[in-house]
Amino acid sequence: MRILLVEDDTLLGEGLYAGLQRENYSLDWIKNGETALIAMLETAYDAVILDIGLPKMSGLDVLRQARSEGNKLPVLILTARDAVSDRVDGLDAGADDYLVKPFEFSELCARLRALTRRARGLTEQLIRYKNIQIDPAAHSVKLNNQQVELSRREFSLLEELLSNIGRVLSKAQLEEKLYSWGDEIGSNTIEVHIHHLRKKFGSEFIKTVRGVGYIVAKES
Ligand code: CA
């Protein structure tokens, strides 16, 4: 999953960036409102963490502008003050959730998981498909109740595929979710990850749709 982090405070931003990377998210970190708006409009993020007090354009203005252009990305705002008005304005501007600084990192993660789950129309914490079970919070994957070791990208790819059962995902869509700006992506990177997943979970469950992408078919 790919997250946009918008935070101008270097110390807090660095902490969040490192922490969210450990949580397996692909991340882009932006420190001003203007660039954040462009990023939101151009990239299919799974969620946006948006600080309110930002240089160039406030988080609230970014959000209002994005929503007025029809942008539906899940947005969690960070408000510096424990002021009700900030939170109310944020929610009215189209935020899906908020956190008041200072907050616990674990709470941010839980809220992000809830937000992305809702956005994907999933009601359960665990993602299940046949004999495969993913626990996004614990970053664990089981096949027939046995733990399977996956790399960060393999985990993200599997999570992406199993969150979109019955839908074809193109290579470009998958790359967008697995990588951040500045990451080196080889031309066959996704194929290599798919190959590894097939080796670990069986060759059948991820189908290649020639010239289009990959799909995990609905359970029959
Ligand atoms: Ca700030």
Side-chain angles (χ1 to χ4, degrees):
M1 265 193 255
R2 185 160 171 192
I3 304 287
L4 175 64
L5 170 64
V6 189
E7 173 58 70
D8 62 320
D9 183 304
T10 307
L11 207 61
L12 178 59
E14 278 173 358
L16 292 177
Y17 189 87
L20 289 166
Q21 266 198 327
R22 278 196 301 275
E23 294 291 312
N24 279 345
Y25 290 113
S26 302
L27 276 175
D28 296 313
W29 177 16
I30 289 174
K31 297 171 189 168
N32 74 77
E34 226 169 62
T35 314
L37 178 62
I38 296 168
M40 276 181 74
L41 296 176
E42 288 186 351
T43 307
Y45 292 103
D46 290 285
V48 181
I49 301 168
L50 182 63
D51 185 29
I52 294 294
L54 291 169
K56 291 191 181 172
M57 193 176 181
S58 83
L60 286 179
D61 287 338
V62 170
L63 189 54
R64 286 194 192 103
Q65 186 69 32
R67 293 301 191 231
S68 78
E69 299 198 23
N71 189 278
K72 294 192 176 74
L73 295 181
V75 173
L76 184 150
I77 52 170
L78 304 178
T79 66
R81 291 146 289 171
D82 191 6
V84 177
S85 65
D86 252 16
R87 282 175 267 159
V88 170
D89 290 348
L91 292 169
D92 281 342
D96 299 277
D97 200 358
Y98 65 85
L99 270 175
V100 177
K101 295 178 189 175
F103 51 83
E104 291 293 323
F105 183 69
S106 59
E107 184 176 3
L108 173 70
C109 292
R111 286 178 184 273
L112 271 183
R113 285 193 298 271
L115 215 58
T116 53
R117 202 160 60 221
R118 277 201 300 275
R120 290 172 172 211
L122 304 173
T123 49
E124 259 198 303
Q125 169 61 25
L126 299 178
I127 302 170
R128 290 176 229 265
Y129 179 76
K130 293 185 179 169
N131 50 355
I132 303 170
Q133 183 180 304
I134 303 180
D135 184 342
H139 309 298
S140 75
V141 181
K142 286 179 180 171
L143 175 67
N144 298 320
N145 283 320
Q146 301 288 315
Q147 200 81 27
V148 181
E149 293 303 323
L150 295 182
S151 73
R152 183 159 82 90
R153 307 282 195 212
E154 287 167 12
F155 183 93
S156 300
L157 181 56
L158 184 67
E159 188 181 22
E160 208 58 50
L161 288 164
L162 295 192
S163 300
N164 290 284
I165 302 272
R167 258 175 280 174
V168 180
L169 299 174
S170 70
K171 210 172 98 173
Q173 279 175 315
L174 292 169
E175 284 173 354
E176 187 170 37
K177 294 293 180 152
L178 264 62
Y179 293 90
S180 320
W181 297 330
D183 280 340
E184 289 279 338
I185 314 174
S187 61
N188 66 342
T189 304
I190 296 292
E191 283 95 330
V192 171
H193 293 318
I194 294 274
H195 175 71
H196 288 153
L197 288 180
R198 283 175 174 155
K199 264 170 74 178
K200 290 174 183 177
F201 297 94
S203 57
E204 277 303 288
F205 88 108
I206 305 169
K207 311 264 187 227
T208 303
V209 184
R210 285 211 186 285
V212 187
Y214 299 96
I215 185 171
V216 174
K218 283 186 178 148
E219 287 185 75
S220 47

